[in-house]
């Protein structure tokens, strides 16, 4: 969806602007993805719902390379509409960066782990290992409407242990 605005200097010129401007995006601290961990994959539809963005605006931003990179499409089984899939932590980090804030993806993972442990896990290698363990336990069909291929799931699990 777009808003048509007439130029003040020339009323015959119409500027088409996305209905959701960047400045209207919420801070990362106010965004939640219910039922999934920070390392979990979510579809672009879930992203636009969580951040309150118009799907058309999201596509414009993505085409202009203003959004985070989606996870590799080869990791997922094709589904209706072939949605792009993003890691929750990438979306939260991107939102923080849009506001000039710094948010480490591993910190978002740590916060996801806080709900299941009596004490905070601070060692980055342990955080990654727990994330992998949870992802492996959930399996190749995590909540959020995505389904991994067997090779994609293996690559996804391996990516959780990398230092990126």
């Amino acid at each position: 969806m777009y808003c048509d605005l007439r130029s003040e200097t020339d009323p015959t010129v119409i500027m088409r602007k996305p209905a959701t401007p960047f400045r209207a995006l919420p801070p990362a601290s106010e965004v939640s993805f219910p039922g999934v961990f920070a390392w979990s994959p979510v579809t672009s539809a879930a992203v636009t719902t969580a951040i309150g963005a118009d799907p058309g605006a999201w596509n414009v931003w993505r085409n202009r390379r203003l959004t985070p990179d989606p996870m590799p499409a080869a990791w997922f089984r094709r589904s209706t509409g072939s949605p792009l899939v993003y890691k929750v932590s990438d979306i939260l980090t991107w939102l923080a960066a849009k506001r000039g804030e710094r948010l480490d993806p591993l910190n978002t993972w740590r916060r996801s782990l806080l709900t299941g442990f009596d004490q905070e896990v601070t060692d980055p290698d342990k955080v990654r290992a727990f994330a992998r363990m949870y992802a492996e336990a959930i399996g190749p069909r995590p909540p959020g409407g995505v389904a991994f291929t067997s090779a994609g799931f293996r690559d996804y699990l391996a990516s959780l242990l990398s230092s990126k």
Side-chain angles (χ1 to χ4, degrees):
M1 179 180 297
Y2 289 90
C3 298
D4 287 345
L5 301 173
R6 299 273 178 198
S7 170
E8 292 178 15
T9 56
D10 184 358
T12 61
V13 175
I14 296 178
M15 298 180 295
R16 299 188 48 85
K17 295 193 173 207
T20 310
F22 273 138
R23 68 183 171 277
L25 294 174
S29 61
E30 293 179 9
V31 175
S32 70
F33 291 87
V36 297
F37 293 105
W39 54 83
S40 299
V42 291
T43 64
S44 52
V47 171
T48 57
T49 298
I51 67 174
D54 178 70
W58 181 263
N59 286 333
V60 168
W61 298 337
R62 183 181 51 79
N63 289 334
R64 292 179 181 169
R65 301 190 195 302
L66 301 174
T67 64
D69 291 332
M71 295 173 74
W75 287 6
F76 302 96
R77 297 192 187 286
R78 290 187 56 77
S79 63
T80 305
S82 298
L84 295 174
V85 179
Y86 299 86
K87 196 179 299 178
V88 169
S89 58
D90 292 346
I91 297 299
L92 296 176
T93 303
W94 173 77
L95 279 171
K98 288 290 166 208
R99 296 182 158 280
E101 301 167 358
R102 188 152 161 65
L103 180 64
D104 177 29
L106 212 50
N107 282 336
T108 64
W109 293 18
R110 254 187 223 115
R111 287 189 205 120
S112 283
L113 290 172
L114 283 176
T115 59
F117 293 95
D118 292 334
Q119 58 186 356
E120 185 176 355
V121 180
T122 56
D123 178 25
D125 292 333
K126 284 187 179 183
V127 171
R128 288 185 191 94
F130 280 127
R132 186 184 191 286
M133 180 184 70
Y134 273 82
E136 192 170 25
I138 290 171
R141 291 189 174 271
V146 299
F148 284 98
T149 63
S150 57
F153 187 60
R154 185 180 59 247
D155 292 344
Y156 166 68
L157 292 175
S159 77
L160 296 177
L161 295 176
S162 73
S163 61
K164 180 187 173 213

